[in-house]
């Protein structure tokens, strides 16, 4: 059992002004003595036995006299993900006499935010509908590029998995942390800023800026085990930030976070929805390269995946699908801020798809990555599943010629430095562009 550390005792609410946030429904349930569930998607900084979410949950148990039960993902075994892709047996963190608070800690050292949405980890999501989802990711996703200071690729690493969480449990309150800064240097700063940008853009996404709590203490070395990982004192700081936000929340069962993949949208891209399509190649799309040994970029209707097309590499790492935005279609986006979203399914034996937007923004032609670091933090194989690729909040320059060829979206199913070993395809269901800072999926059901 993990005890409540001194210095983390509950504070009174007398000076706080309660506000609606993602904690509100959870607080309403626990205050009323009803059972509640929390789902946490985390990396190694959420994994230790005395980690921040164990400490936070124990504080809630103490505050509400609730029994706290933890299910921790069991895949990590000592130093590698060789264990079962399932939750370990439950552990009681706090023995209360009231309701039961259950924590599903879907955490994996070295993980990125999309790992728990791989088909191989389906057990991670086969849990009771949560009352709160927490996204605690970023440390393994800081290698994204920032062309011209654009942080869209960083936001994409989180927006896709966040959209999958919202699709899995529509309406469930969503919370995101900023994790902790790295002790030495500023390498994590761009991730922190990308998370702040995302929280400002996404409606009813609650932000707990745990990063700021470390900065307020000058990144004291006494809070760290190494350059990246907090020690138990650092975990207490994260737990304290979460608990303070909980104490400041109003008890209200009606708070929800909208599912951005379900938000209605007028698609600025013609023929970007493949829910009613068949044929060898959709109108307006072309193969992005010519294979030397076989026709590259084959596109076929795939009855095994309803409402999708399949793109095959055919041994060519640069093969793929290309959409030039031209004429009236381009004119509808030029001079505006636009967000792009693409729903795809990668294959287990193939590399992860490389999806990019080429556009003039900030006075220069830029290549903006839409799909990096979502299922893996390296260009490796071994996971398959549906995911959203995004490029959000892209300010498109007003002096682009609608008749030009430098404004396009490219989908490469097996991009790399060598020919792909597998010819498994990437499946694409829909591609949507909307005006504004937030992508919208226009999905129903």
């Amino acid at each position: 059992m993990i005890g409540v550390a001194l210095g983390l005792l509950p504070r009174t609410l007398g000076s706080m002004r309660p506000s609606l946030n993602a904690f509100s429904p959870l607080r309403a349930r626990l205050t009323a003595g009803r059972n509640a569930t929390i789902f946490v998607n985390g990396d190694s900084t959420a994994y230790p036995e005395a980690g921040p979410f164990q400490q936070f949950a124990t504080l809630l148990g103490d505050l509400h006299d609730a029994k706290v039960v933890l299910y921790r993902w069991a895949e990590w075994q000592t130093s590698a993900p060789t264990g079962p892709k399932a939750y370990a047996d439950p552990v009681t963190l706090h023995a209360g006499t009231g309701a039961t608070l259950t924590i599903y800690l879907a955490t994996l050292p070295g993980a990125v935010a999309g790992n728990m949405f791989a088909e191989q980890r389906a057990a991670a999501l086969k849990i009771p509908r949560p009352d709160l989802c927490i996204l605690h990711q970023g440390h393994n996703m800081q290698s994204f590029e920032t062309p011209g200071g654009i942080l869209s690729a960083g936001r994409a690493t989180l927006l896709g998995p966040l959209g999958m969480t919202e699709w899995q449990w529509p309406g469930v309150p969503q919370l995101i942390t900023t994790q902790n800064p790295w002790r030495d240097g500023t390498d994590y700063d761009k991730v922190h800023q990308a998370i702040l940008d995302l929280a400002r853009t996404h409606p009813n996404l609650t932000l707990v800026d745990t990063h700021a709590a470390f900065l307020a203490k000058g990144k004291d070395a006494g809070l760290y085990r190494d350059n990246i990982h907090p020690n138990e004192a650092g975990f207490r700081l994260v737990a304290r930030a979460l608990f303070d936000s909980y104490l400041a929340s109003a008890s209200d069962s009606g708070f929800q976070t909208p599912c951005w993949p379900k938000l209605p949208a007028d698609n600025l891209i013609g023929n970007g929805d493949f829910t009613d399509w068949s044929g060898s190649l959709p109108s307006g799309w072309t193969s992005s390269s010519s294979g030397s040994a076989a026709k590259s970029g084959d596109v076929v209707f795939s009855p095994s995946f309803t409402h999708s097309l399949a793109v095959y590499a055919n041994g060519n790492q640069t093969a793929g699908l290309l959409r030039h935005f031209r004429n009236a279609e381009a004119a509808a986006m030029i001079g505006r801020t636009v967000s792009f979203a693409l729903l795809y399914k990668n294959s287990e034996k193939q590399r992860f798809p490389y999806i990019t937007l080429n556009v003039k923004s900030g006075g220069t032609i830029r290549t903006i990555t839409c799909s990096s670091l979502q299922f893996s933090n390296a260009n490796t194989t071994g996971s398959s599943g549906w995911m959203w690729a995004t490029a959000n909040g892209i300010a498109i320059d007003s002096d682009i010629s609608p008749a030009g060829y430098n404004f396009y979206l490219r989908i490469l199913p097996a991009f790399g430095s060598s020919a792909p070993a597998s010819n498994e395809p990437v499946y694409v269901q829909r591609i949507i562009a909307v005006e504004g800072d937030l992508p919208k999926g226009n999905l129903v059901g």
Side-chain angles (χ1 to χ4, degrees):
M1 181 182 298
I2 299 175
V4 179
L6 294 177
L8 282 177
L9 297 176
R11 299 174 181 173
T12 63
L13 291 175
S15 61
M16 296 184 180
R17 183 179 179 181
S19 61
L20 286 175
N21 63 28
F23 285 123
S24 293
L26 177 71
R27 183 158 196 176
R29 293 187 67 87
L30 292 177
T31 301
R34 301 172 63 191
N35 296 342
T37 301
I38 298 176
F39 172 80
V40 179
N41 180 347
D43 57 21
S44 58
T45 64
Y47 184 78
E49 290 187 0
F53 297 100
Q54 290 93 323
Q55 294 194 30
F56 169 60
T58 302
L59 289 170
L60 293 180
D62 188 63
L63 178 66
H64 294 285
D65 190 25
K67 179 181 179 181
V68 179
V69 177
L70 171 73
Y71 289 85
R72 187 169 67 156
W73 192 249
E75 188 175 347
W76 189 256
Q77 295 291 315
T78 307
S79 60
T82 56
K85 290 180 172 61
Y87 290 103
D89 291 338
V91 175
T92 298
L93 302 182
H94 186 271
T97 61
T100 297
L101 173 62
T102 304
I103 312 295
Y104 287 92
L105 193 59
T107 181
L108 181 65
V112 296
N115 280 144
M116 291 301 160
F117 296 94
E119 291 175 318
Q120 292 75 12
R121 297 185 178 89
L125 307 180
K126 292 180 180 178
I127 66 173
R129 178 180 169 89
D131 300 289
L132 171 67
C133 293
I134 299 176
L135 185 57
H136 183 76
Q137 289 277 0
H139 288 303
N140 300 314
M141 299 152 59
Q142 63 90 34
S143 62
F144 61 86
E145 298 178 355
T146 57
I150 297 174
L151 292 172
S152 174
R155 296 190 294 268
T157 66
L158 297 159
L159 260 171
L162 180 62
M164 296 304 296
T165 309
E166 294 168 355
W167 179 257
Q168 176 73 20
W169 299 298
V172 168
Q174 303 289 329
L175 182 148
I176 189 169
T177 75
T178 49
Q179 299 198 303
N180 59 276
W182 291 9
R183 183 191 63 197
D184 306 321
T186 59
D187 290 346
Y188 187 76
D189 285 4
K190 64 180 181 181
V191 182
H192 179 223
Q193 188 58 54
I195 295 172
L196 295 179
D197 289 349
L198 175 57
R200 281 191 291 265
T201 299
H202 195 301
N204 283 9
L205 174 64
T206 296
L207 173 77
V208 176
D209 195 354
T210 52
H211 188 278
F214 284 79
L215 293 182
K217 292 187 175 294
K219 298 197 291 186
D220 188 334
L223 299 172
Y224 290 85
R225 178 167 58 86
D226 53 35
N227 182 42
I228 296 174
H229 298 87
N231 56 20
E232 192 167 344
F235 293 146
R236 285 200 296 271
L237 201 62
V238 175
R240 178 77 257 177
L242 290 163
F243 192 56
D244 283 348
S245 182
Y246 180 85
L247 291 178
S249 67
S251 178
D252 191 303
S253 60
F255 184 94
Q256 294 187 344
T257 300
C259 172
W260 74 254
K262 286 192 169 188
L263 291 177
D266 292 326
N267 194 357
L268 300 177
I269 300 175
N271 198 22
D273 184 349
F274 306 117
T275 56
D276 185 15
W277 170 86
S278 64
S280 60
L281 194 68
S283 175
W285 294 86
T286 59
S287 173
S288 64
S289 68
S290 297
S292 57
K295 185 174 63 174
S296 67
D298 282 354
V299 181
V300 300
F301 180 66
S302 174
S304 60
F305 294 104
T306 305
H307 310 315
S308 64
L309 58 85
V311 185
Y312 293 84
N314 285 325
N316 187 340
Q317 70 269 27
T318 62
L321 197 61
L322 187 69
R323 174 70 171 216
H324 281 282
F325 303 121
R326 304 186 68 227
N327 304 321
E329 188 173 69
M333 295 185 273
I334 291 171
R336 301 183 183 183
T337 295
V338 178
S339 292
F340 298 81
L342 184 149
L343 181 59
Y344 70 92
K345 183 184 187 297
N346 65 290
S347 300
E348 180 177 8
K349 295 180 181 179
Q350 187 56 278
R351 296 167 179 159
F352 297 106
Y354 184 58
I355 303 168
T356 58
L357 173 70
N358 199 80
V359 65
K360 186 179 181 185
S361 180
T364 303
I365 299 293
R366 308 188 190 282
T367 299
I368 299 170
T369 304
C370 308
S371 62
S372 67
L373 306 173
Q374 291 183 315
F375 276 113
S376 174
N377 58 359
N379 187 25
T380 57
T381 60
S383 295
S384 59
W386 289 98
M387 183 54 65
W388 286 94
T390 66
N392 84 300
I394 306 301
I396 300 174
D397 287 0
S398 58
D399 60 350
I400 297 176
S401 169
Y405 285 89
N406 285 323
F407 184 14
Y408 59 85
L409 186 73
R410 185 172 61 171
I411 305 165
L412 303 180
F415 180 71
S417 58
S418 61
S422 169
N423 196 41
E424 289 195 11
V426 59
Y427 298 93
V428 181
Q429 186 177 96
R430 62 177 49 207
I431 303 168
I432 291 180
V434 299
E435 187 172 3
D437 289 324
L438 183 70
K440 297 176 182 179
N442 206 31
L443 286 173
V444 296

